[in-house]
Amino acid sequence: MAKETTPNAAAKLNGYASKAKAWLHSRRDMLRKPVRASGEGAAHGGRRSRSIPGAFGVLVRKEVSDHIRSWRFILLLGIIALTCVASLYTALNSIRDALGSEDGVQEFVLLKLFTISDGTLPTFIGFVGFLGPLLGIGMGFDAVNSERNKGTLSRIMAQPIHRDDLLNAKFVASLIVISIMFLTLGFLTMALGTLIIGIPPTFEEFLRIISFLLVTIFYVGFWLNLSIMFSVRFRQPATSALSCIAVWLFFSFFYDMILQLIAKGIAPSAPTTTVQDVLNYQNLMMWLNRISPYTLFNEATTTLLVPSVRNLGPLTNEQVIGAIASPLPFGQSLLLVWPQITGLTALTLICFALSYVLFLRQEIRGRS
Amino acid sequence: MTETVIDIHELTKSYGKAKAVDRLSLRISRGEIFGLLGPNGAGKSTTILMLLGLSEPDSGTINVLGMNPTREPIPVKQRVGYLPDDVGFYEDRTGLENLMLTARLNGIPEDAARERAKLLLEQVGLDNAAHKKTGAYSRGMRQRLGLADVLVKSPEIIILDEPTLGIDPTGMEELLSLIRKLSREQNLTVLLSSHQLHQVQQICDRVGLFVRGRLLAEGDVPSLSRTLFADDPLLITADIEGLSPALEESIRGIDGVHRLEIETVGQGAAGQQGALSADGRCRLQIRCDSDCSPDIAGAIVGSGARLFALHRQEYGLDEIYHRYFAGGEPHGKGDDAKRSG
């Protein structure tokens, strides 16, 4: 995609990107409006109509306050905040070297805070990629089954609300809490970095960081949904927590190993191998890799935060020839990771749909 | 007062091969307290879930306040309160907050909700514990809070699933009389399920005996016992001293007496089978079909024996229960149920 970027083509693509963005925004607004409206309904008190209009808002408010009051949330927040501070510290330690080594490119200093480290600790995005799932799992693994075990589920379901309201409220509330948390952390990191380095962020840097945070929220949202699904499926919170952690560990560690095994097996080694074969092989491995949400997240965030990443697949020599070694504009980076973001969203939706189906078909009895 | 608010017709629900509810038909009128009685696993909870639209029937129709709960669960749940068996609350919230949540979910405006919640907490005697976290509530308090929780939405029907389970006798009595009082004051229809027959029969207008998914009998307790124990519905117990064979004969001769059993009572008498205890006290158990306690008392006193106590007992649900549910629920065997049905 866009190897020999003529300014004209770039402008065109940029136009598409901004159109896509506008469309996205309109979608998002459409999605958000009903939520907000029902929230207001709750605040103003309800009318007694067929279905209570504010019930969803009430449930969301209850869930959010449950999260914020809980010890678990404070602990998770503490862990994430600590890692952010730690990675910021290591990044600041090594930022001088990093800036010096790259031949005079002094752009995107602030972004480097998120992507470099002095080697003692992982980078900011590394940390978030690793611990984000833990946060999602921690917030969702007992969403439904703990209510069931406490006997509150059947009491809530006896109120005039739809069954899916409960599940939606759990998801939306957790996502709201996660969003607030990551946006806050991101902005704090940005602010601290700006203060310490003394270089104000450009608008593009700002956009990139915002989109990085949004992708992170999507990513954590996926794990949240996965854990909600397990919490619907399993009656014991411990079982669902363990299943989530198993999936998380699988994708964090074992999936890579398995892929390496497969790669060794199918790598083209015959003397007759053509370039096409190698390319096919590379592409296959890349797609296998992209099943993992971890890979999707890493690719997306790296591209967004490192503007010099031009392509995520293999590049042939011909493709590289003539390419200008300059960072991609923001719109191009966004276009490059669009499939990854779509993939993450799709995974999230699949989990949500599954938990939806499971929950709607379940019978809700006392504590059984 | 005769408006039918719950009308169940030929309701059937199976789980796999096991029939949880088998062709149940039931009508409950407004203002009535109906007790759904049966052993564990009889299908009481399943029936209740279907009444609220939380579970779907396989066949048959349900009509609650003129609506079909399977199709329109929301309006049904607006007007019907349900206290699940072993209700739970958000333990890190206070009782008042828990009630407020329910009120909000029912769309009651904040001020009105707070007022109503406070009033109800007072009614169920929890006004002192209103600001205590429900995690610290005792079992009885939880059930009472549950009752308040059900009443927050000002329902027309309340359905209580095993409301007395796990509460001590005093608490149980309090709760039941509270239910009865509230029902009478607000003309509430109450459907309660239980397997504790003794306590429940005191407050129910009508009861239905529910075994293995089928309703064996329904009606008020006296009429149930009359029909079920047509031969000897009354038990009269007399503690006397100085039993003589002549007295035995004269009691047996009283019109209406069917059977007479003698057992010994008193200190140190245990183990002396058949014999009179040292002080000559014994207990007569007289089964009869009409109330002949004055004649029995007269006979005892006339024979020179000393009468300590005379107790007339109508057959209660316990006896009915034993007669019908004797042996408890046979496990499994779907065809067994079919044969007996």
Side-chain angles (χ1 to χ4, degrees), chain A residues 8 12 30 35 45 57 79 96 121 164 186-187 190 205 211 213 224 227 229 233 236 254 272 276 305 321 338 350 363:
Chain A
N8 205 354
K12 232 185 212 170
M30 272 169 64
V35 176
I79 292 176
R96 193 170 300 275
L121 275 174
D164 43 351
F187 287 141
M190 199 156 46
E205 278 178 318
S211 47
L213 292 174
L224 176 71
S227 63
M229 185 182 85
R233 175 66 191 77
Q236 294 300 326
F254 300 114
T272 54
Q276 197 56 44
L305 288 183
I321 287 172
W338 202 244
I350 288 171
E363 194 163 67

Coordinates of all heavy atoms in Angstrom, one line a residue, chain A residues 8 12 30 35 45 57 79 96 121 164 186-187 190 205 211 213 224 227 229 233 236 254 272 276 305 321 338 350 363:
Chain A
N8 N 0.3 13.7 -4.4 CA -1.1 13.7 -4.8 C -1.9 12.5 -4.2 O -3.0 12.7 -3.6 CB -1.2 13.5 -6.4 CG -2.4 14.1 -6.9 OD1 -3.3 14.5 -6.1 ND2 -2.5 14.2 -8.2
K12 N -5.0 12.3 -1.5 CA -6.2 11.6 -1.7 C -6.5 10.7 -0.6 O -7.6 10.7 0.0 CB -6.1 10.8 -3.0 CG -7.2 11.0 -4.0 CD -7.0 10.1 -5.2 CE -7.5 10.7 -6.5 NZ -7.2 9.8 -7.6
M30 N -23.9 8.0 17.2 CA -25.1 7.3 17.2 C -25.2 6.2 18.3 O -26.2 6.0 18.9 CB -25.3 6.6 15.8 CG -25.9 7.5 14.8 SD -25.8 6.7 13.2 CE -26.7 5.3 13.4
V35 N -27.4 5.8 25.1 CA -26.9 5.6 26.4 C -27.0 6.8 27.2 O -27.6 6.8 28.3 CB -25.4 5.2 26.3 CG1 -24.8 5.0 27.7 CG2 -25.2 3.9 25.5
G45 N -35.7 10.9 36.9 CA -36.7 10.0 37.4 C -37.6 9.5 36.3 O -37.6 10.0 35.2
G57 N -29.5 3.1 32.6 CA -28.6 4.1 33.2 C -28.4 3.8 34.6 O -27.3 4.0 35.2
I79 N -1.4 -0.9 40.2 CA -0.4 -1.7 39.4 C -0.1 -0.9 38.1 O 1.0 -0.7 37.7 CB -1.0 -3.1 39.1 CG1 -1.0 -3.9 40.3 CG2 -0.1 -3.8 38.0 CD1 -1.6 -5.3 40.2
R96 N 17.8 10.5 25.7 CA 18.9 11.3 25.1 C 19.6 10.4 24.0 O 19.9 10.9 22.9 CB 19.9 11.7 26.2 CG 20.8 12.8 25.7 CD 21.6 13.4 26.9 NE 20.7 14.0 27.9 CZ 20.3 15.3 27.8 NH1 20.6 16.0 26.8 NH2 19.5 15.8 28.7
L121 N 13.4 -2.4 31.9 CA 12.0 -2.6 32.1 C 11.4 -2.5 30.7 O 11.9 -1.9 29.8 CB 11.4 -1.5 32.9 CG 11.4 -1.7 34.5 CD1 10.9 -0.5 35.1 CD2 10.6 -2.9 34.9
D164 N -31.0 -8.3 28.7 CA -29.8 -7.9 28.1 C -29.3 -6.5 28.7 O -28.2 -6.2 28.6 CB -29.9 -7.8 26.6 CG -31.3 -7.2 26.2 OD1 -32.1 -7.0 27.0 OD2 -31.4 -6.8 25.0
G186 N -2.9 8.1 30.3 CA -2.2 8.6 29.1 C -1.9 10.1 29.2 O -0.8 10.5 28.9
F187 N -2.9 10.8 29.6 CA -2.7 12.3 29.6 C -1.7 12.7 30.7 O -0.9 13.6 30.5 CB -4.0 13.0 29.9 CG -4.9 13.0 28.7 CD1 -6.3 12.8 28.8 CD2 -4.4 13.2 27.4 CE1 -7.1 12.8 27.7 CE2 -5.2 13.1 26.3 CZ -6.6 12.9 26.5
M190 N 1.6 12.0 29.3 CA 2.0 13.0 28.4 C 2.4 14.3 29.1 O 3.4 14.9 28.7 CB 0.7 13.3 27.5 CG 1.1 13.9 26.2 SD -0.1 13.6 24.9 CE -1.7 13.9 25.6
E205 N 1.2 14.5 17.3 CA 1.6 13.6 18.4 C 0.4 13.4 19.3 O 0.1 12.2 19.7 CB 2.7 14.2 19.2 CG 4.1 14.0 18.6 CD 5.1 14.7 19.4 OE1 4.9 15.9 19.8 OE2 6.2 14.1 19.7
S211 N -5.2 8.2 19.7 CA -5.6 7.0 19.0 C -5.0 5.7 19.6 O -5.6 4.7 19.7 CB -5.3 7.0 17.5 OG -4.0 7.5 17.3
L213 N -4.4 5.4 22.8 CA -5.3 5.2 24.0 C -6.6 4.5 23.6 O -7.0 3.6 24.3 CB -5.5 6.4 24.8 CG -4.3 7.1 25.4 CD1 -4.6 8.4 26.0 CD2 -3.7 6.1 26.5
L224 N -12.1 -7.8 28.5 CA -13.2 -7.6 29.4 C -14.4 -8.5 28.9 O -15.0 -9.2 29.7 CB -13.6 -6.1 29.4 CG -14.9 -5.7 30.2 CD1 -14.6 -5.8 31.6 CD2 -15.3 -4.3 29.8
S227 N -13.8 -12.1 29.5 CA -14.0 -12.5 30.9 C -15.5 -12.5 31.3 O -16.0 -13.3 32.0 CB -13.2 -11.6 31.8 OG -13.6 -10.3 31.8
M229 N -17.8 -13.2 29.2 CA -18.4 -14.4 28.6 C -18.1 -15.6 29.6 O -19.0 -16.4 29.8 CB -17.7 -14.6 27.3 CG -18.3 -15.8 26.5 SD -17.5 -16.1 25.0 CE -16.1 -17.1 25.5
R233 N -20.6 -18.2 31.6 CA -20.6 -19.6 31.3 C -20.3 -20.4 32.6 O -20.9 -21.4 32.8 CB -19.4 -19.9 30.3 CG -19.1 -21.3 30.0 CD -20.3 -22.0 29.3 NE -20.2 -23.5 29.3 CZ -20.4 -24.3 30.3 NH1 -20.7 -23.8 31.5 NH2 -20.2 -25.6 30.2
Q236 N -18.5 -20.6 38.9 CA -17.6 -20.2 40.0 C -16.7 -19.1 39.5 O -16.1 -19.3 38.4 CB -16.7 -21.4 40.4 CG -17.5 -22.6 41.0 CD -18.1 -22.1 42.3 OE1 -17.6 -21.3 43.0 NE2 -19.3 -22.6 42.6
F254 N 2.5 -18.8 24.8 CA 2.6 -20.0 24.1 C 2.3 -19.9 22.6 O 2.7 -20.7 21.8 CB 1.6 -21.0 24.7 CG 2.0 -21.3 26.1 CD1 1.1 -20.9 27.2 CD2 3.2 -21.9 26.5 CE1 1.5 -21.1 28.5 CE2 3.5 -22.1 27.8 CZ 2.7 -21.7 28.8
T272 N 14.2 -25.1 -5.1 CA 13.3 -24.5 -6.2 C 12.5 -23.4 -5.7 O 11.6 -22.8 -6.4 CB 12.4 -25.6 -6.7 OG1 11.7 -26.2 -5.6 CG2 13.2 -26.6 -7.5
Q276 N 8.0 -15.9 -4.8 CA 6.5 -16.0 -4.5 C 6.2 -16.9 -3.3 O 5.5 -16.6 -2.4 CB 5.8 -16.5 -5.8 CG 4.3 -16.2 -5.7 CD 4.0 -14.7 -5.5 OE1 4.6 -13.8 -6.1 NE2 3.1 -14.4 -4.6
L305 N 2.4 4.7 17.2 CA 3.3 5.5 18.0 C 4.7 5.6 17.4 O 5.5 6.5 17.8 CB 3.4 4.9 19.4 CG 2.2 5.0 20.3 CD1 2.5 4.5 21.7 CD2 1.8 6.5 20.5
I321 N 12.8 0.4 -2.9 CA 13.5 1.4 -3.7 C 12.6 2.6 -4.0 O 11.5 2.4 -4.4 CB 14.0 0.7 -5.1 CG1 15.1 -0.2 -4.8 CG2 14.4 1.8 -6.1 CD1 15.5 -1.1 -6.0
W338 N -5.8 0.1 10.3 CA -7.3 -0.1 10.3 C -7.7 -1.5 10.4 O -8.6 -1.9 11.2 CB -7.9 0.6 9.0 CG -9.3 0.9 9.2 CD1 -10.3 0.4 8.5 CD2 -9.8 1.8 10.2 NE1 -11.5 1.0 9.0 CE2 -11.2 1.8 10.0 CE3 -9.3 2.6 11.2 CZ2 -12.1 2.6 10.8 CZ3 -10.1 3.4 11.9 CH2 -11.5 3.4 11.7
I350 N -17.5 -10.7 18.9 CA -17.8 -12.1 18.9 C -18.0 -12.6 20.4 O -18.9 -13.2 20.7 CB -16.6 -12.9 18.2 CG1 -16.7 -12.7 16.7 CG2 -16.7 -14.4 18.6 CD1 -15.5 -13.2 16.0
E363 N -31.2 -20.0 32.6 CA -32.3 -19.9 33.5 C -31.8 -19.2 34.8 O -30.7 -19.6 35.3 CB -33.0 -21.2 33.8 CG -34.3 -21.0 34.5 CD -35.1 -22.3 34.4 OE1 -34.7 -23.3 35.0 OE2 -36.1 -22.3 33.7

